[in-house]
Amino acid sequence: MEEELKALRQQQLYREIKVIESPQRAHVRYRNRDMLMLASNSYLDLCGEERVKAYAARALAEYGTGSGGSRLTTGTNIYHIQLEEALARFKGREAAVVFNTGFAANSGVIPCLCRAGDVIYSDELNHASIIDGCRQSGAETVVYRHNDMEDLERKIQERPGRQGMIVSDGVFSMDGDIVDLPKLLELADAYGLLSMIDEAHATGVIGATGRGCEEYFHLEGRTDILMGTLSKAVGAEGGYVCGSRTLTEYLKNKARSYIFSTSLSPAAMAAAKRALELIEEEPWRVEKLQENICLFCHCLREHGVEAESETAIIPVRIGEEGMAVKVSERLMEQGFFIPAIRYPTVKRGEAMLRAALMATHTKEELSAAAAAIAEAIDYCRDC
Ligand SMILES: Cc1ncc(COP(=O)(O)O)c(C=O)c1O
């Protein structure tokens, strides 16, 4: 272990925990100073929202701290049920089932639906939890080039008549780009495959009202399995799967990560439910986030930094790992919290800053951040 840790340090790949000393909001305290948070997944800034906290506090007072059991034994209370109903409504589906994390949802669902003899077509940039789910399933996993539907179709045609599934991130977690859903669904229909989309970074972000990929492409109700997480724009914890009632009942009976794990606390469920209501009641959050995305990309480009995104994830490509760390450190010194993303999260030599925006960032903050990023890149290139 020591040898390997030493090697990681030498390759600039050693990771350290950063301790945030305040709620996860647009401004955080870090190392005892105020920082502009430009890396959080709490895209709609709901983690510290007063009404969300108050509702979670009520659940905490009523039901205590833990759920006390797995969902199928003693760990289901009214907040789990209400949240599942709210999620199904929000996503326009018959039913929803909540898992303990998005990771548990992906690694639970995929092996449940696919097994040895089946084939899973998976985008090369899919999240680690999808990759693990594919591995655990025992099915043949065929990785297609990133968002390349021609490559996907070629690979499907090489395996005629095989039963299986196409699975893709809806918004890719590092590059922030959006799946070609129309073509993916067309291929799934044409070749009789299931379609599964991970909406971890799409929910609350894309589509006119933040309902995700289907709303963005006006393809409501078309995907077989819509998976997502409550830990990002929703500002709470947990993962979910929405689909037909048959699907959710099947998962409740078969998915190992659902069955063999203590369920989430009532307070986490209540927080997610209230946050979902706020996303619907206060459309300004999604609208402001989408405005901020346009504005920030524009500001970066004005400073000569390439930036293109329609989602809250805006990658600033650096390349060499050491350089990415230096740029991030300089930004940290100046009060901008943007960590460097390195291998194995992205490929070697493709290190980046992954800026993540919130609905509550102001124009002035985003403009200052863009200028600081450009300055830090120039500074570190010269030093
Ligand atoms: C695309 C994607 N899917 C799934 C997950 C896992 O979700 P969770 O953090 O709720 O485990 C993440 C991130 O964490 C993600 O980026």
Side-chain angles (χ1 to χ4, degrees), residues 36 85 104 148 167 184 223 257 259 267 269 275 283 289 316 322 338 359 361:
L36 184 69
E85 287 168 359
D148 181 339
V167 58
L184 187 150
T223 313
S257 60
I259 298 170
M269 299 294 83
L289 176 64
V316 176
I338 318 182
H361 285 135

Side-chain angles (χ1 to χ4, degrees), residues 101-103 106 127 129 169 171 173 198 200-201 227 229 231-232 238-239:
T101 60
F103 205 108
N106 275 335
H127 188 257
S129 52
D169 279 14
V171 169
S173 53
D198 175 337
H201 300 276
M227 170 275 165
T229 172
S231 63
K232 302 189 193 299

Side-chain angles (χ1 to χ4, degrees), residues 111-122:
C112 228
L113 300 181
C114 296
R115 55 199 69 146
D118 294 335
V119 53
I120 304 172
Y121 300 95
S122 175

